[in-house]
Amino acid sequence: MIAFILPKGDDKLYGALLFQKNKNFKVYVPEDDAWAKDYEGKLQIVRGSLPEVHEPLVCFLESGASPDANFAGRILRAAERHPDFDVYHVNTPGGRRFPRKAKVAKLFRLMVLENASAPFSGFIFRTERLREKAVFKADGSLDPIPTVLAAASERPVRNVWRGSLEWTAAQQSTNPLDEEKRIREKLDLFRWSESFFGDDNYPLSVGDQMSLFAGEVAKLYPSYSPDNLKEIMNSFQVAQGPIRKVRAAAALKSAIKARQKELQRAAAAE
């Protein structure tokens, strides 16, 4: 059996679950979700979230997800046929298809380096494993990518054969404060990844790691001065040590130059 955890007030998700061919699931909803009343008796509704889940599998269906009628059935079939996995994944149509099995290094490349379409709703977890390994943000919400990687740290993620999940990403705000928040969250992800993989097992070479981090740090320019950006760059583990500090400074300098050219092109196009 699978538990689907829904956000508050998403009638489309209730409707999609109502038409699932396989009914072997429960729907967990916020205590104050008024929409749930319309589906009580039609779906197995539970007021609560992850702490209340007793089902062996759990999936967070977020706004933007559109599961088809076979969604639950294909997940349950995959879990029954391949029980030795902690995390399962469903592809999004038109996006990069995940391999049948993917270890954490491959997942990191797909989700972070290649920005493959991989919404959190497309991952299904063994409930106990998720409780053990979940990574939370400062506001108490689950941090999607670290949570997926941590839960899959011992066994690869198993892709659900023929499974798919329609996904419409929320439109990103162009407000500078929101943009800075997104950059800061990406930098927090990089810091977490350093602790998770360690220096010896990081999925990138030291040079590529520095270039990746520097490129993201440079996106804060010109709101932050080069000296401020250097401070941020030096906060990463990969920049520790005399020689590495020099290499990190060079990577950041190149990234800032690229950022300046990008801003100049954007200004000329206006």
Side-chain angles (χ1 to χ4, degrees):
M1 198 169 196
I2 184 169
F4 289 117
I5 299 179
L6 270 56
K8 182 179 177 180
D10 195 317
D11 188 41
K12 290 182 179 178
L13 286 174
Y14 283 110
L17 293 178
L18 190 62
F19 290 103
Q20 292 297 304
K21 293 179 181 178
N22 188 313
K23 306 294 185 182
N24 195 18
F25 61 86
K26 288 185 181 179
V27 182
Y28 287 75
V29 301
E31 290 283 351
D32 58 347
D33 191 350
W35 279 108
K37 293 180 181 179
D38 294 339
Y39 294 91
E40 288 175 350
K42 300 174 184 178
L43 293 169
Q44 296 185 67
I45 302 287
V46 181
R47 302 280 180 170
S49 190
L50 183 60
E52 287 72 46
V53 170
H54 296 290
E55 291 67 39
L57 298 170
V58 60
C59 173
F60 290 80
L61 287 178
E62 302 170 299
S63 295
S66 300
D68 65 20
N70 296 307
F71 188 68
R74 287 196 172 114
I75 291 168
L76 290 166
R77 192 178 305 118
E80 182 181 356
R81 292 178 177 176
H82 310 284
D84 298 328
F85 293 87
D86 295 317
V87 187
Y88 301 86
H89 173 260
V90 178
N91 287 312
T92 55
R96 171 74 181 273
R97 294 188 64 80
F98 278 43
R100 186 61 57 89
K101 299 177 187 178
K103 294 184 178 179
V104 287
K106 179 66 174 178
L107 287 170
F108 183 80
R109 288 183 175 275
L110 284 167
M111 300 170 71
V112 179
L113 305 184
E114 301 176 23
N115 292 313
S117 177
F120 195 49
S121 296
F123 291 93
I124 302 90
F125 302 88
R126 294 282 174 190
T127 304
E128 290 308 312
R129 181 65 172 174
L130 180 61
R131 287 199 177 105
E132 291 171 7
K133 294 296 184 178
V135 180
F136 295 92
K137 297 180 182 179
D139 63 3
S141 62
L142 281 170
D143 202 344
I145 294 177
T147 293
V148 170
L149 295 176
S153 57
E154 293 182 9
R155 301 178 185 89
V157 166
R158 174 79 192 196
N159 213 42
V160 176
W161 184 68
R162 292 181 62 193
S164 67
L165 177 70
E166 294 284 348
W167 173 252
T168 303
Q171 187 171 2
Q172 288 192 338
S173 166
T174 57
N175 184 301
L177 293 177
D178 292 332
E179 175 63 18
E180 180 175 336
K181 182 183 177 183
R182 287 193 292 270
I183 295 167
R184 291 283 186 178
E185 287 177 347
K186 192 72 169 285
L187 295 176
D188 287 343
L189 170 60
F190 291 157
R191 290 191 186 90
W192 179 88
S193 71
E194 287 190 302
S195 298
F196 177 71
F197 287 109
D199 197 41
D200 294 334
N201 296 313
Y202 205 83
L204 296 173
S205 68
V206 169
D208 288 343
Q209 190 178 344
M210 286 182 177
S211 295
L212 175 67
F213 293 3
E216 197 66 28
V217 171
K219 291 178 182 178
L220 293 169
Y221 178 89
S223 298
Y224 290 78
S225 70
D227 285 342
N228 293 144
L229 300 182
K230 187 176 180 180
E231 257 183 67
I232 296 171
M233 188 69 189
N234 286 340
S235 69
F236 291 107
Q237 293 178 23
V238 74
Q240 302 310 304
I243 295 175
R244 287 197 175 187
K245 277 194 189 308
V246 173
R247 292 182 64 185
L252 180 60
K253 186 177 180 180
S254 296
I256 292 173
K257 283 184 178 178
R259 171 67 172 164
Q260 289 170 333
K261 289 179 181 178
E262 177 189 344
L263 293 172
Q264 289 169 359
R265 287 194 297 268
E270 291 179 355

